[in-house]
Amino acid sequence: MSGLVGIHRTDGRPVDPTTLARMVKAIAHRGSDGEGQWHEGPIGLGHRLLYTTPESLHEKQPVIDDTGDVRLVWDGRLDNRQELTVTLGADMAPGAGATDPALVLRAYRRWGLRALDHMVGEFAFALWDDRVQTLVCARDRLGLKPLHYTWAGPTLFFGSEIKPLLAARGAIPEPDDEMVLAFLLREFRERDHDRTFFRGMCRLPPGHVLTVRNGVARVGRYWAIDPLRETRYARDDEYVDHFLTLFAEAVRCRLRSEFPIGVFVSGGLDSSAILCTAERYGGGPDGGVPALEAFTLFSDDPASDERTFARDVVAATGRKGHEIHAADDDPLHRIDELLWEVESPIVGAARQSVLAGTDAVLAWGCRVLLSGDGGDHLLDEVGYLADLVHELRLRRFLHDTRAFASWYGGSRAQFAGMALALLVPPRMKYVAKRALRRAPPPWINGGLARAVGLRDRLREPWHTVPFPSFAQADSYLCVASAYQVLKLEVDERASAAAGVETRFPFLDARLVEYVLSVPSTRRTHGGERKRLLRSAMRGIVPDTIRFRRGKGDWTDTMDRSLTALCRRDPPAALENRSGRLGRYVDLRSARRLVDRYVAGQKELRWEVWFLVTVDRWLERFWGRTT
């Protein structure tokens, strides 16, 4: 993990080195092991370096190619290093020439922008080609590394986070009102991939490249999922073997570290699969597996205590486990600090558990953390149930809905409702919500909703990728939606602020492509959830975990804390510390929403919590109006 920044003046005037230095300082938390700055004429690049991989020990950025014409700042990790070095004829001897950014420069020299087609991994970079006076900024396929930018007249500022852009501009722009409403209602759409919560501050979408040449900026897609790709085998075990090969590679690639690696082990299937696969398949050329430390969080609520299951997993690997108690403290503790770190109102209510886990990871010398996040998003097959209804296989639908519910708890009606909702076109959902006065709901400020065109948003589909099945479309939405990418960026910034790089094996682009290409009838059978992963982990993950019914749940912990906040006078959700909350919500109607939650409508927990975080976020960045 590192951080990059840059300035490009399209009017040809020289970059102000003081502004560049100020931007680098704003991302100092992203790299304690090195700092680099370079500017010449209308271009300036800056970098902060955190050592993680063995090769990064030899990095000094910006990196310059052999001709001295091209410079690069890089944040990320290449996962197909061996393939690239062979193809490019690169020297693999340890040193500056074998680092990831050095390989990227070689690839660019060979293929130009087509080098992106050859790059597999998690990355964001900015490259200046002096030969053609062109700036190139790119982001990995699924957007696991962030890159933001903004324009001030003819000047482009860009960086890993928004904070250096604010430092360069010297002022905080107004909130993006439409994005705030989209967040409060959980109604993000495909067009939000290039937006942030700050007006005029943009994100480079996943799988996209930004080029600036002769004063002309262009943003284009270099990679997209192929919705018509199909993988067909004769036998189920062939699908499982293919999955295991890709999953093992995804884990192995994320074990490149010069330091011990932490693994969050919850006792569920996803995190257990990562730890056990790392132990079985994670050996490098010398056969050794990197030092792994397993961390399990538990709270005072028995429903979230998975230590018994986590111990089985850790014992099976022979690794050392660390059990971290996360007390049920006030979720507002240090929230203002966190909101500044993540630059977004997207903040979880279980902040204390995150802090406890990160502190423990750092205490054991880990700079890299493997997370099972993404497993539920990629491998749950609720869309398969929608396909059964669409195909009029109603008996199978009733049977598999019951089976789905039995795996992790939850009601049959809940899963049936989720599946049936996928069948309803967005415009019909909008009509139904309008009839129920829920489009927008009465607690949203109607005047602002009309001003930003909220109703048009609610009529739009979640995404427009033409998948042939509901199963594929739903899995894609869960993995690659604008909200999912925003949330991953929040997690990335929170980890970066602590000096930790979080890696997500389930979000390896190669694994995602494969799973989405597998027929849904091969991904599940008889309502067995996560069947591909469960079958692949035979003999790898203990059967006590592989066939476990149910999973840990922190919902009750959240509800207790949030209910206590809402019983304050005024409720924390409507404290309106910023004096700005009324711009987005009707405070009187919102009070009724909060009262319904306290009275027992716990499904409103996220709407209530979002009111808290939006208010605090507004106060943190724009202060109080009164």
Side-chain angles (χ1 to χ4, degrees):
M1 178 197 75
S2 297
L4 62 89
V5 299
I7 306 171
H8 178 40
R9 298 204 55 150
T10 60
D11 58 4
R13 298 179 66 183
V15 161
D16 176 15
T18 303
T19 302
L20 181 63
R22 199 161 59 239
M23 294 176 71
V24 173
K25 183 178 179 180
I27 57 164
H29 56 280
R30 296 186 67 91
S32 58
D33 297 318
E35 175 185 320
Q37 297 180 40
W38 168 84
H39 59 90
E40 184 175 285
I43 184 70
L45 301 174
H47 191 265
R48 293 291 306 203
L49 174 65
L50 181 74
Y51 296 143
T52 52
T53 66
E55 296 79 17
S56 67
L57 301 180
H58 303 283
E59 286 183 25
K60 185 176 181 181
Q61 298 196 38
V63 181
I64 310 171
D65 79 342
D66 294 338
T67 66
D69 294 326
V70 184
R71 283 175 167 81
L72 172 80
V73 281
W74 165 272
D75 171 27
R77 184 192 69 254
L78 281 175
D79 288 341
N80 61 335
R81 281 176 50 83
Q82 185 172 0
E83 175 188 338
L84 275 178
T85 52
V86 171
T87 303
L88 296 170
D91 183 3
M92 285 296 290
T99 65
D100 286 0
L103 284 174
V104 172
L105 283 179
R106 283 176 173 264
Y108 177 76
R109 174 66 69 173
R110 167 89 54 101
W111 297 301
L113 288 180
R114 289 183 54 206
L116 290 162
D117 299 334
H118 299 267
M119 293 167 55
V120 177
E122 300 171 8
F123 57 82
F125 70 80
L127 174 154
W128 174 254
D129 189 338
D130 196 58
R131 299 168 302 173
V132 288
Q133 295 286 291
T134 298
L135 175 69
V136 178
C137 300
R139 194 173 177 194
D140 66 75
R141 297 175 181 184
L142 293 181
L144 297 177
K145 291 294 183 181
L147 191 60
H148 300 78
Y149 65 95
T150 189
W151 287 92
T155 305
L156 174 68
F157 300 105
F158 54 90
S160 297
E161 299 182 2
I162 295 175
K163 284 184 281 292
L165 310 187
L166 300 179
R169 297 285 299 266
I172 300 177
E174 289 298 306
D176 185 322
D177 290 339
E178 186 181 356
M179 286 290 283
V180 175
L181 290 184
F183 170 64
L184 286 169
L185 296 173
R186 290 181 284 176
E187 292 284 1
F188 290 99
R189 292 298 187 268
E190 193 171 51
R191 59 189 168 99
D192 297 324
H193 272 296
D194 64 350
R195 300 172 72 173
T196 71
F197 290 99
F198 298 84
R199 192 180 303 167
M201 299 284 178
C202 302
R203 299 182 297 148
L204 187 62
H208 279 66
V209 58
L210 163 68
T211 59
V212 185
R213 184 177 185 181
N214 295 329
V216 178
R218 292 186 174 88
V219 176
R221 182 185 291 275
Y222 71 85
W223 179 86
I225 200 85
D226 180 0
L228 300 180
R229 176 182 172 182
E230 280 190 311
T231 299
R232 293 284 181 179
Y233 291 124
R235 303 188 313 275
D236 279 353
D237 59 354
E238 293 178 283
Y239 288 101
V240 173
D241 289 345
H242 192 163
F243 176 89
L244 179 57
T245 298
L246 290 175
F247 181 64
E249 176 66 7
V251 173
R252 186 190 65 78
C253 288
R254 286 158 179 79
L255 295 177
R256 276 176 60 209
S257 177
E258 186 66 15
F259 303 88
I261 295 175
V263 185
F264 270 156
V265 180
S266 67
L269 180 60
D270 299 342
S271 59
S272 300
I274 290 172
L275 180 63
C276 293
T277 300
E279 184 64 32
R280 175 71 65 89
Y281 297 103
D286 59 357
V289 179
L292 299 174
E293 303 285 346
F295 299 91
T296 301
L297 299 176
F298 68 96
S299 77
D300 300 317
D301 182 5
S304 66
D305 189 349
E306 297 188 277
R307 285 177 291 175
T308 299
F309 298 99
R311 288 166 186 163
D312 286 349
V313 176
V314 174
T317 63
R319 295 290 175 168
K320 186 171 184 178
H322 311 279
E323 296 173 353
I324 314 300
H325 178 246
D328 300 345
D329 291 333
D330 184 348
L332 297 181
H333 177 60
R334 292 175 62 183
I335 191 172
D336 297 330
E337 171 190 337
L338 177 61
L339 288 166
W340 175 257
E341 291 171 356
V342 303
E343 308 166 344
S344 162
I346 303 176
V347 174
R351 173 59 174 160
Q352 302 313 309
S353 63
V354 175
L355 288 171
T358 303
D359 289 346
V361 167
L362 290 170
W364 283 91
C366 302
R367 291 191 173 191
V368 172
L369 176 65
L370 301 188
S371 169
D373 283 357
D376 288 343
H377 302 80
L378 179 63
L379 296 170
D380 252 347
E381 301 88 1
V382 175
Y384 158 76
L385 300 175
D387 285 323
L388 292 178
V389 176
H390 184 69
E391 297 163 7
L392 299 180
R393 299 169 61 189
L394 301 184
R395 180 175 295 180
R396 173 58 63 184
F397 170 76
L398 294 174
H399 174 273
D400 286 5
T401 300
R402 183 184 301 112
F404 261 70
S406 72
W407 270 103
Y408 296 142
S411 69
R412 178 177 169 183
Q414 175 189 4
F415 285 98
M418 291 167 61
L420 294 174
L422 295 176
L423 299 169
V424 182
R427 287 184 176 272
M428 290 184 62
K429 289 181 182 177
Y430 171 76
V431 171
K433 288 181 178 180
R434 284 285 292 161
L436 297 171
R437 296 190 68 233
R438 292 173 52 202
W443 55 274
I444 289 292
N445 184 323
L448 183 62
R450 288 188 292 273
V452 302
L454 184 62
R455 290 178 180 175
D456 292 336
R457 168 181 291 271
L458 298 180
R459 294 186 184 101
E460 294 177 15
W462 293 92
H463 66 80
T464 57
V465 183
F467 287 104
S469 75
F470 288 101
Q472 291 169 296
D474 187 52
S475 293
Y476 174 79
L477 179 65
C478 291
V479 169
S481 69
Y483 176 71
Q484 170 68 1
V485 177
L486 274 168
K487 187 176 181 303
L488 287 171
E489 289 173 354
V490 164
D491 293 342
E492 195 273 350
R493 284 195 286 271
S495 297
V500 174
E501 177 179 290
T502 303
R503 300 175 180 174
F504 306 94
F506 284 104
L507 296 178
D508 185 288
R510 297 163 296 185
L511 186 67
V512 171
E513 281 187 305
Y514 170 68
V515 171
L516 291 181
S517 75
V518 174
S520 61
T521 53
R522 299 288 193 163
R523 288 176 55 184
T524 186
H525 180 72
E528 180 182 352
R529 299 174 75 176
K530 301 185 180 180
R531 182 168 176 253
L532 274 177
L533 177 62
R534 207 176 305 277
S535 299
M537 291 298 104
R538 184 182 298 114
I540 299 173
V541 169
D543 284 347
T544 53
I545 309 301
R546 211 163 61 88
F547 294 113
R548 181 185 174 190
R549 300 277 176 152
K551 62 189 300 185
D553 188 357
W554 290 72
T555 304
D556 288 345
T557 300
M558 174 182 175
D559 281 333
R560 278 197 302 274
S561 299
L562 184 55
T563 300
L565 293 178
C566 289
R567 284 179 173 150
R568 296 179 179 178
D569 187 22
L574 299 172
E575 194 173 4
N576 198 14
R577 292 165 56 99
S578 66
R580 304 168 188 268
L581 196 57
R583 178 172 178 80
Y584 301 98
V585 303
D586 180 286
L587 295 174
R588 182 174 297 179
S589 296
R591 178 60 188 251
R592 290 193 286 271
L593 174 81
V594 173
D595 290 344
R596 285 159 52 202
Y597 169 72
V598 173
Q601 288 187 250
K602 299 306 181 187
E603 70 275 10
L604 298 174
R605 65 179 62 85
W606 288 113
E607 285 84 350
V608 172
W609 176 244
F610 290 170
L611 289 172
V612 176
T613 62
V614 165
D615 183 31
R616 293 289 185 126
W617 173 73
L618 291 168
E619 180 194 24
R620 180 63 185 84
F621 280 90
W622 290 275
R624 303 186 183 191
T625 60
T626 58

